[in-house]
Amino acid sequence: VIVGAGPAGLALAWCLRRRGIDPLVVDRAAVVASSWRTRHDHLHLNTHRTLSYQPGKRMPRSLGAYPARDDYVRYLESYSAGMRLRLGTDVLRVERAGGGSQLETPDGQLRTQYLVMATGMQRVPASPEWPGQETFTGVVMHSAEFRNVADVAGKAVLIVGPGNSGVDLLNHLVRSDVGALWLSARSGMNISPLRIAGIPTHHLSVSGRYLPISWQDRNARLTQRLCFGDLTRYGYPRSELGLFTRIHRDVVTGALDNGFVKALKAGRVVMKPGLDRFDGAQVHFADGSTVEPDVVVLATGYRPGLETTVGHLVDLDRTGRPAAIGARTLAAHPGLWFFGFDTQSVYGAMYIARQQARQLARVIADTPSNSGGETSAFPLS
Ligand SMILES: Cc1cc2nc3c(=O)[nH]c(=O)nc-3n(C[C@H](O)[C@H](O)[C@H](O)COP(=O)(O)OP(=O)(O)OC[C@H]3O[C@@H](n4cnc5c(N)ncnc54)[C@H](O)[C@@H]3O)c2cc1C
């Protein structure tokens, strides 16, 4: 059983099917690719099409360098055709039973010898809270709830968080008829151009992959400096850690610019330091300054949210992940894998999932069954 019909779960299902194993893919949503369907209307992949495709099926050239959300959803839909799907089934908790796993769902139990949790790194929006937030007269939402720039037309918007999600939203907002725009940054962030002179840069950023990390960091800093100049002059703080060190250490990718920096330099977006507190209509920052936004968007990241399903079985680290992910399994839990949680690469999480899906499918196929030599992952009931 694979829990999660997102890009990672479907990639693994495809690779298992190639090996003659037909897994049951369970998802709480009524459709596949649900996390992509619920992301905002303007979203495009920020990794190149030719690096982000699923095993066995390239994305058509017509989708462009960075495919649009709806095109990507249709691509995943057609990719899942013929797979054994059990949709609308929320896995509430996993127990270990009889050398396998037992899944608790609202409709009853599901037992399987081999279980792969592919529930995603972004399952739960991380929404910090600040003093006085309950008094705020405007709207506070997480970036996961943001739908369309038209919803904030004419409104003053504060984005909290200068990373990938925050800058992605600003790339779209600066082209809209939104009112005042502020960006609050508690600490620095690396930022790279999505395109240079119209040419997509993703392949360029992966070209130095065999260099030591410190060299890759230096290349990224140089690119940032050459493309944007000194952004600290405009209040966008410099990240203490280099792009690649940060990806490896904190599982945090840099921001990608597609219009934000130009707007920042033109004064269309005003930088603010870390948020300190809310007070009625006002938001106060660490430097004592205040603004009065209509909408505050928390671009403050996500968590895998594995606590509720497997937190009682496995230890989770500060990033919310178990010690063994991908094709590796925990010695205490043979037959249980966590897939799609290894996103530490400039190639992008989709690229990593494609690579590791092949490895994990091989490991599963080679793992001897404790129920009569059966190598398929069958739901028992
Ligand atoms: C805004 C945004 C943009 C991104 N853009 C890119 C990009 O361009 N390129 C890239 O490489 N990566 C990108 N990523 C990172 C990552 O590749 C995607 O998030 C991708 O969707 C992850 O795939 P996944 O299958 O691991 O998780 P998800 O797509 O989140 O799929 C997990 C599935 O598990 C299901 N599920 C969760 N819990 C349960 C449960 N308890 N029971 C049953 N089902 C459950 C969910 O319904 C969901 O369908 C982006 C992430 C975000 C947040």
Side-chain angles (χ1 to χ4, degrees):
V1 170
I2 299 171
V3 183
L10 295 176
L12 178 63
W14 190 90
C15 292
L16 284 169
R17 283 162 61 91
R18 288 270 292 186
R19 289 179 173 272
I21 299 169
D22 198 8
L24 182 73
V25 184
V26 176
D27 202 292
R28 61 183 172 179
V31 281
V32 301
S34 69
S35 61
W36 275 86
R37 290 172 201 267
T38 52
R39 287 172 186 165
H40 70 75
D41 297 343
H42 320 285
L43 188 67
H44 283 242
L45 263 64
N46 58 24
T47 52
H48 200 281
R49 178 193 83 240
T50 54
L51 292 169
S52 313
Y53 61 94
Q54 297 287 110
K57 184 168 179 163
R58 288 183 179 265
M59 281 185 252
R61 205 187 175 89
S62 59
L63 300 195
Y66 300 111
R69 179 197 68 178
D70 292 348
D71 288 337
Y72 185 62
V73 167
R74 272 192 291 274
Y75 163 76
L76 285 183
E77 243 168 21
S78 85
Y79 186 72
S80 67
M83 291 184 185
R84 270 199 318 145
L85 304 171
R86 184 174 293 189
L87 301 172
T89 303
D90 194 359
V91 174
L92 305 173
R93 192 174 163 95
V94 174
E95 299 292 355
R96 300 291 287 167
S101 297
Q102 184 169 296
L103 283 61
E104 311 290 339
T105 82
D107 308 321
Q109 293 169 343
L110 199 62
R111 297 187 69 205
T112 178
Q113 189 176 355
Y114 303 130
L115 174 64
V116 181
M117 295 296 285
T119 49
M121 275 297 279
Q122 290 96 13
R123 184 165 175 252
V124 180
S127 297
E129 289 195 6
W130 287 268
Q133 194 165 324
E134 68 287 353
T135 69
F136 184 54
T137 52
V139 173
V140 180
M141 64 166 80
H142 190 273
S143 58
E145 298 167 274
F146 190 93
R147 289 288 155 266
N148 196 297
V149 293
D151 300 338
V152 291
K155 296 191 173 153
V157 177
L158 166 66
I159 305 282
V160 180
N164 208 324
S165 299
V167 169
D168 168 57
L169 285 183
L170 283 163
N171 286 333
H172 302 290
L173 284 167
V174 297
R175 294 188 171 89
S176 76
D177 49 6
V178 67
L181 280 173
W182 300 279
L183 172 59
S184 163
R186 191 181 51 181
S187 55
M189 182 54 72
N190 296 288
I191 182 162
S192 319
L194 194 66
R195 292 185 168 82
I196 296 178
I199 299 166
T201 51
H202 191 198
H203 284 286
L204 189 68
S205 58
V206 301
S207 61
R209 63 191 178 280
Y210 298 117
L211 296 172
I213 294 248
S214 60
W215 288 30
Q216 296 186 51
D217 281 346
R218 239 172 283 153
N219 282 350
R221 281 220 197 276
L222 187 65
T223 308
Q224 178 174 329
R225 189 69 187 219
L226 289 174
C227 292
F228 305 133
D230 179 8
L231 288 182
T232 60
R233 283 178 50 207
Y234 305 91
Y236 192 84
R238 183 178 192 270
S239 171
E240 275 177 35
L241 293 179
L243 173 63
F244 294 84
T245 303
R246 189 96 202 268
I247 290 175
H248 283 270
R249 210 196 68 171
D250 298 341
V251 203
V252 170
T253 55
L256 285 162
D257 171 65
N258 192 21
F260 156 71
V261 169
K262 194 172 166 207
L264 176 71
K265 289 180 173 174
R268 177 74 182 90
V269 181
V270 176
M271 290 300 305
K272 287 286 168 189
L275 203 157
D276 182 50
R277 66 193 157 91
F278 288 86
D279 184 10
Q282 291 189 326
V283 175
H284 293 245
F285 298 98
D287 63 354
S289 64
T290 59
V291 297
E292 292 195 9
D294 301 303
V295 180
V296 176
V297 184
L298 305 180
T300 41
Y302 298 83
R303 288 189 58 78
L306 284 167
E307 291 81 1
T308 52
T309 47
V310 297
H312 57 291
L313 291 176
V314 298
D315 290 333
L316 303 170
D317 67 15
R318 71 185 170 87
T319 65
R321 302 177 299 171
I325 50 178
R328 290 177 298 129
T329 188
L330 295 160
H333 297 297
L336 171 62
W337 290 272
F338 294 89
F339 187 62
F341 296 95
D342 192 352
T343 54
Q344 291 153 296
S345 169
V346 72
Y347 283 104
M350 293 165 187
Y351 175 93
I352 298 291
R354 182 174 75 247
Q355 301 294 318
Q356 293 191 349
R358 295 197 174 100
Q359 295 166 14
L360 179 52
R362 189 176 343 112
V363 168
I364 292 174
D366 291 347
T367 300
S369 163
N370 63 5
S371 59
E374 182 61 75
T375 52
S376 296
F378 285 116
L380 302 179
S381 62

